[in-house]
């Protein structure tokens, strides 16, 4: 069922928020008490630490950083070998030492030890960190600045998610050159075919392929660790590279060239952000234990093995990773590498889906069409628009750059930019939320800035060679998100001025001659203190009101999940008229009919069936006002995004045949 009207209207006022929870406004002294209820799950889930969950962590969390040995050491050592052909022993030691201490400082100390302590109701990731930082910041200007930092880091993360599939798959296929030198011209087409197949599979969901992620990555880490160990056993002198002395000596001696090498060293720590982002799925301990006791030793052995191989056989410098394996094992290693890089790519793609959903919930992105690929797991989703954008970007990158070495220039700046944003937000959280003294914050995070900033600056030098790709993408996405957020805020502020208070409507209702009809009507309203426009237009045009009326507000919280037991706030406003607030965190996927089933628990609504009710919504038609409140180009961008936004009914999963949609014209 559908209906349309077009009028200039005011609607959707600002929300009254207290500690992140919508507050039902006071109507009068005799208004009904608010009833809050929801799921009865415990606030913190206890995740058992066992082999199964550790195996899953390997498959989901460590795909990106686990495939870095394919190209990180080669890219770094090529910086030196391109400068002079005669590689010195201490130079190789210095490169291995730089990579090892990057893993220690950035991944082990910064992310695994410190940043993962900053969870938001058990959830991690840069958006959760941004929410924490904003929560403990009082000044509005500070909140805005932290929001910009968080959004900038998020946009760069999207760039990382686009580049990861391209560089990972391409680097794995390039391993065939070791065994089949003449295959070079077929590498790019093969990589394109694999990526098209990978992105085409996304609509099927990751449940089935996810079952083999863990075992494959366990085999991968075991294999690269053993291959490196064999070289270390043959050339134990490489163990000396674990000393920071060689890293420091390399930097002091080479100066500018060492600075350039940092742009490739950072490739060894790509994927570090995934450790923090996936904390909500697995908890801290499984991620920490998998890193400390398995992933880090395997990576360290492999990097040392590559260093030892280059010293003993300088001719292998062009692709030391694949030369680690005996000739007869090269093809199996390429196949395993391809599987591992596909897994790394899959994690980035799935992360892009989740991130886009979170940005929508936070109000930084228009609603997107979201498909659920698993009836039991809310987090397994597929967003066609995001998938197509990532696929197109990855394919264009491969066609444009044609080699993983060239793509590495585009890779680093996205990673290092996200690192800096995370460090900035962490400073605020640890100083204001965890009450660390200023000197402690300055010393510890100052150390991390001393690592992050040189990494970022070294990669900034690669902007002409490809670093402009994630930078341009990040700037573009930031403009889109801030334009959408600004446009929505203008609409919210404008509509609040002319909204009809709900108390006034209820006071007039008994004296009105409105015809009541059987059934239940649910009127969607963004403001619990005002009458929704859909009700006003329904009365104006249809002149009827249902026997049972629910005013439903969806409250998007600036926290990962709604607090358990507080999913719904409900009260009775008048006989058979109810006010309902449904709360969702930014990491949750709304399903309004499913949540409204909980209303049956209340005696006043034991008859209620959300699948038989009529849902009244409004659809906005945005037009430019006589005196626009946005610049012309921002207005055009906002209107384009609004036109292409998915209907709110699809986003909330309301049955299409139960919706009555009324169009309203809004000028801004």
């Amino acid at each position: 069922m559908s209906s349309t009207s077009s009028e200039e209207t005011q609607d959707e006022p600002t929300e009254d928020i207290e500690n992140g929870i919508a507050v039902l406004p006071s109507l009068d002294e005799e208004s009904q008490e608010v009833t809050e209820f929801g799921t009865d799950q415990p606030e913190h889930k206890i995740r058992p630490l066992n082999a199964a969950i550790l195996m899953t962590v390997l498959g989901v969390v460590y795909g990106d950083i686990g495939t870095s040995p394919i190209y990180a050491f080669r890219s770094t050592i090529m910086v030196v070998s391109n400068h002079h052909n005669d590689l010195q022993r201490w130079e190789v030691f210095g490169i291995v030492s730089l990579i090892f201490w990057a893993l220690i400082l950035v991944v082990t100390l910064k992310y695994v030890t410190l940043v993962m302590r900053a969870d938001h109701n058990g959830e991690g990731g840069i958006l959760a960190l941004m929410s924490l930082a904003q929560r403990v910041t009082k000044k509005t200007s500070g909140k805005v600045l932290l929001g910009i930092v968080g959004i900038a880091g998020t946009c760069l993360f999207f760039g990382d998610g686009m580049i990861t599939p391209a560089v990972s798959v391409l680097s794995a296929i390039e391993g065939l050159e070791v065994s089949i030198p003449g295959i070079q011209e077929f590498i790019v087409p093969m990589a394109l075919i694999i990526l098209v197949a990978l992105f085409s599979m996304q609509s099927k969901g990751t449940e089935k392929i996810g079952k083999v992620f863990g075992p494959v990555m366990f085999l991968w880490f075991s294999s690269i660790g053993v291959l490196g160990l064999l070289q270390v056993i043959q050339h134990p002198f490489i163990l000396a590279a674990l000393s920071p002395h060689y890293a420091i000596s390399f930097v002091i001696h080479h100066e500018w060239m060492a600075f350039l090498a940092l742009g490739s060293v950072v490739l060894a720590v790509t994927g570090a952000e995934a450790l923090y982002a996936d904390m909500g799925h697995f908890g801290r301990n499984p991620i920490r234990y998998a890193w400390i006791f398995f992933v880090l030793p395997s990576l360290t052995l492999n990097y040392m093995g590559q260093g030892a191989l280059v010293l003993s056989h300088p001719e292998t410098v062009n692709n030391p990773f694949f030369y680690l394996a005996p000739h007869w094992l090269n093809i199996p290693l390429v196949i395993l590498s391809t599987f591992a890089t596909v897994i790394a790519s899959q994690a980035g793609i799935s992360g892009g889906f989740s991130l886009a959903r979170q940005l929508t919930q936070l109000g930084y992105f228009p609603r997107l069409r979201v498909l659920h690929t698993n009836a039991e797991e809310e987090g397994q989703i597929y967003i066609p628009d995001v998938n197509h954008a990532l696929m197109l970007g990855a394919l264009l990158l491969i066609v444009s750059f044609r080699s993983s070495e060239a793509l590495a220039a585009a890779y680093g700046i996205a990673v290092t930019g996200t690192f800096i944003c995370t460090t900035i937000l962490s400073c605020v959280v640890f100083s204001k939320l965890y009450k660390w003294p200023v000197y402690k914050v300055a010393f510890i995070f100052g150390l991390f800035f001393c690592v992050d900033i040189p990494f970022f600056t070294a990669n900034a030098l690669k902007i002409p060679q490809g670093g402009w790709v994630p930078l341009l993408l990040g700037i573009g996405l930031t403009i889109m998100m801030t334009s959408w957020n600004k446009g929505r805020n203008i609409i919210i502020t404008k509509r609040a001025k002319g909204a009809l208070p709900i108390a006034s409507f209820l006071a007039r209702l008994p004296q009105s001659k409105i015809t009541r009809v059987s059934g239940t009507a649910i009127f969607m309203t963004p403001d619990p203190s005002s009458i929704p426009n859909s009700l006003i237009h329904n009365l104006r045009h249809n002149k009827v009101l249902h026997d049972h009326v629910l005013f439903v507000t969806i409250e998007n919280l600036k926290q990962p999940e709604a607090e358990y037991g507080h999913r719904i706030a409900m009260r009775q406003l008048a006989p058979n008229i109810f006010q309902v607030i449904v709360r969702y965190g930014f990491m949750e996927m709304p399903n309004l009919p499913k949540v409204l089933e909980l209303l049956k628990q209340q005696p006043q609504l034991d008859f209620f069936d959300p699948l038989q009710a009529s849902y009244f919504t409004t659809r906005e038609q945005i037009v430019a006002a006589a005196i626009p409140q946005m610049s012309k180009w921002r207005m055009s961008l906002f209107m384009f995004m609004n036109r292409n936004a998915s209907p709110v009914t699809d986003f909330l999963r309301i049955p299409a045949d139960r919706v009555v949609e009324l169009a309203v014209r809004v000028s801004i």
Side-chain angles (χ1 to χ4, degrees):
M1 109 178 59
S2 64
S3 175
T4 10
S5 68
S6 181
E7 297 187 26
E8 189 80 23
T9 188
Q10 316 262 322
D11 178 41
E12 199 176 354
T14 53
E15 299 160 334
D16 184 15
I17 304 293
E18 182 178 305
N19 297 325
I21 301 294
V23 179
L24 288 172
S26 174
L27 300 179
D28 53 54
E29 294 181 356
E30 299 180 355
S31 61
Q32 297 288 331
E33 289 187 1
V34 176
T35 302
E36 296 199 42
F37 54 96
T39 57
D40 56 359
Q41 294 174 277
E43 185 172 351
H44 296 286
K45 300 175 184 177
I46 298 176
R47 299 172 177 85
L49 183 61
N50 52 43
I53 195 169
L54 290 173
M55 190 74 73
T56 307
V57 165
L58 289 178
V60 175
V61 177
Y62 291 110
D64 192 354
I65 199 169
T67 53
S68 296
I70 301 175
Y71 47 81
F73 181 82
R74 179 186 65 184
S75 297
T76 307
I77 206 165
M78 290 302 291
V79 174
V80 180
S81 63
N82 288 338
H83 186 267
H84 60 84
N85 294 325
D86 187 20
L87 278 172
Q88 300 296 313
R89 178 185 178 118
W90 67 271
E91 290 176 323
V92 177
F93 276 35
I95 291 171
V96 174
S97 185
L98 278 172
I99 291 175
F100 172 73
W101 284 101
L103 293 172
I104 295 298
L105 291 174
V106 175
V107 184
T108 308
L109 294 182
K110 178 181 173 181
Y111 278 96
V112 174
T113 304
L114 281 180
V115 176
M116 286 180 65
R117 295 175 58 185
D119 69 288
H120 197 322
N121 294 342
E123 299 291 345
I126 194 166
L127 288 178
L129 191 64
M130 179 190 74
S131 297
L132 275 178
Q134 289 180 320
R135 192 177 74 181
V136 296
T137 302
K138 295 181 180 180
K139 293 184 178 179
T140 303
S141 58
K143 291 180 182 288
V144 172
L145 182 60
L146 292 172
I148 293 174
V149 172
I151 294 304
T154 302
C155 292
L156 288 172
F157 187 81
F158 269 115
D160 186 13
M162 182 180 293
I163 299 170
T164 295
V167 70
S168 298
V169 172
L170 198 55
S171 63
I173 301 299
E174 285 172 346
L176 289 172
E177 292 179 318
V178 174
S179 297
I180 315 172
I183 204 172
Q184 184 175 3
E185 60 182 284
F186 299 101
I187 287 177
V188 169
M190 290 172 66
L192 294 175
I193 291 171
I194 291 174
L195 281 180
V196 169
L198 173 63
F199 283 101
S200 300
M201 291 169 55
Q202 296 305 310
S203 61
K204 308 298 181 182
T206 59
E207 181 183 14
K208 293 181 179 179
I209 191 171
K211 292 179 180 179
V212 301
F213 278 7
V216 170
M217 292 310 296
F218 178 80
L219 178 61
W220 169 256
F221 283 114
S222 300
S223 300
I224 66 173
V226 169
L227 290 174
L229 179 61
L230 293 175
Q231 289 294 325
V232 172
I233 292 174
Q234 296 178 43
H235 311 285
F237 56 81
I238 195 65
L239 291 171
L242 297 179
S243 170
H245 163 75
Y246 288 98
I248 296 171
S249 298
F250 182 86
V251 172
I252 293 174
H253 185 273
H254 280 305
E255 296 179 348
W256 179 249
M257 190 175 70
F259 180 71
L260 296 177
L262 289 179
S264 297
V265 170
V266 76
L267 298 176
V269 294
T270 59
E273 188 72 26
L275 278 69
Y276 182 45
D278 288 322
M279 185 173 65
H281 298 290
F282 304 106
R284 294 187 190 91
N285 288 339
I287 294 175
R288 283 175 171 169
Y289 291 158
W291 171 256
I292 294 172
F293 296 110
F294 187 61
V295 178
L296 178 59
S298 297
L299 293 176
T300 302
L301 284 172
N302 190 267
Y303 285 121
M304 287 196 299
Q306 291 189 55
L309 180 66
V310 168
L311 285 175
S312 57
H313 299 282
E315 69 277 7
T316 63
V317 70
N318 291 327
N319 208 329
F321 176 81
F322 287 100
Y323 278 115
L324 281 175
H327 184 75
W328 61 270
L329 195 58
N330 186 254
I331 298 298
L333 182 60
V334 170
I335 295 173
L336 180 60
S337 300
T338 304
F339 274 106
T341 53
V342 165
I343 291 172
S345 304
Q346 178 63 55
I349 296 167
S350 300
F353 296 158
S354 298
L355 206 57
R357 182 191 67 184
Q358 293 170 29
L359 289 168
T360 299
Q361 297 284 68
L362 286 170
Y364 287 101
F365 218 71
R367 294 180 301 272
L368 298 170
R369 182 169 173 244
V370 178
L371 303 178
H372 291 260
T373 59
N374 189 315
E376 298 178 357
E377 295 292 335
E378 288 288 316
Q380 293 189 19
I381 59 175
Y382 168 66
I383 303 180
D385 291 340
V386 174
N387 188 62
H388 296 155
L390 291 176
M391 180 177 69
L392 180 61
L395 296 180
L396 287 175
L397 286 172
I398 287 182
V399 172
S400 302
F401 290 88
R402 305 189 71 82
S403 74
S404 60
E405 186 178 351
L407 263 174
Y411 205 10
I413 200 164
V415 175
T416 53
T418 306
F419 285 172
I420 291 177
C421 293
T422 298
T423 303
I424 293 172
L425 296 173
S426 297
C427 285
V428 177
V429 171
F430 278 86
S431 62
K432 294 188 176 182
L433 182 63
Y434 297 120
K435 307 299 181 183
W436 279 20
V438 175
Y439 74 88
K440 187 176 180 180
V441 172
F443 175 76
I444 293 178
F445 288 98
L447 174 64
F448 294 140
F449 274 122
C450 288
V451 176
D452 293 341
I453 292 176
F455 275 154
F456 180 81
T457 309
N459 279 279
L461 298 175
K462 300 179 181 180
I463 289 177
Q465 288 76 40
W468 58 269
V469 173
L471 202 59
L472 184 63
L473 179 64
I475 292 172
L477 286 173
T478 300
I479 291 173
M480 290 176 63
M481 292 179 192
T482 53
S483 298
W484 177 260
N485 188 256
K486 182 178 180 179
R488 295 304 304 171
N489 287 336
I490 290 173
I491 292 173
I492 289 170
T493 302
K494 180 178 179 180
R495 289 178 173 179
K497 297 177 182 178
L500 175 65
I502 198 168
S504 301
F505 173 79
L506 293 175
R508 301 173 189 172
L509 189 59
Q511 292 79 34
S512 68
K513 297 181 181 180
I514 298 174
T515 302
R516 305 298 288 263
V517 296
S518 61
T520 301
I522 297 175
F523 292 92
M524 304 301 301
T525 174
D527 176 35
S529 66
S530 305
I531 291 298
N533 273 318
S534 53
L535 173 59
I536 295 173
H537 294 323
N538 184 55
L539 292 176
R540 183 174 298 166
H541 296 287
N542 298 324
K543 298 178 174 56
V544 295
L545 188 66
H546 287 70
D547 283 337
H548 297 90
V549 175
L550 275 71
F551 300 137
V552 176
T553 298
I554 302 296
E555 181 60 43
N556 293 317
L557 307 176
K558 292 187 176 181
Q559 59 190 55
E561 297 178 350
E563 296 179 7
Y564 293 113
H566 299 277
R567 173 70 70 194
I568 295 180
M570 185 207 79
R571 69 175 170 185
Q572 187 169 351
L573 303 176
N576 297 329
I577 298 179
F578 302 87
Q579 186 178 59
V580 179
I581 287 181
V582 180
R583 299 169 180 136
Y584 287 103
F586 60 76
M587 296 193 76
E588 298 180 292
M589 176 55 65
N591 186 335
L592 186 59
K594 182 178 179 180
V595 171
L596 291 181
E597 286 278 354
L598 297 172
L599 293 175
K600 293 181 180 180
Q601 300 172 6
Q602 306 306 310
Q604 311 97 310
L605 290 168
D606 55 359
F607 64 89
F608 177 64
D609 184 354
L611 296 179
Q612 296 301 318
S614 297
Y615 293 79
F616 289 79
T617 66
T618 56
R619 177 169 54 86
E620 301 159 341
Q621 295 178 344
I622 309 297
V623 297
I627 304 178
Q629 295 178 268
M630 298 175 68
S631 59
K632 188 174 181 181
W633 68 269
R634 273 192 186 271
M635 175 72 70
S636 300
L637 177 60
F638 176 75
M639 293 174 67
F640 172 80
M641 296 171 73
N642 187 72
R643 285 194 303 270
N644 289 276
S646 176
V648 66
T649 50
D650 289 352
F651 189 74
L652 298 177
R653 289 190 268 181
I654 301 172
D657 60 348
R658 306 305 307 171
V659 176
V660 178
E661 186 180 73
L662 298 149
V664 295
R665 187 186 300 272
V666 182
S667 60
I668 62 174

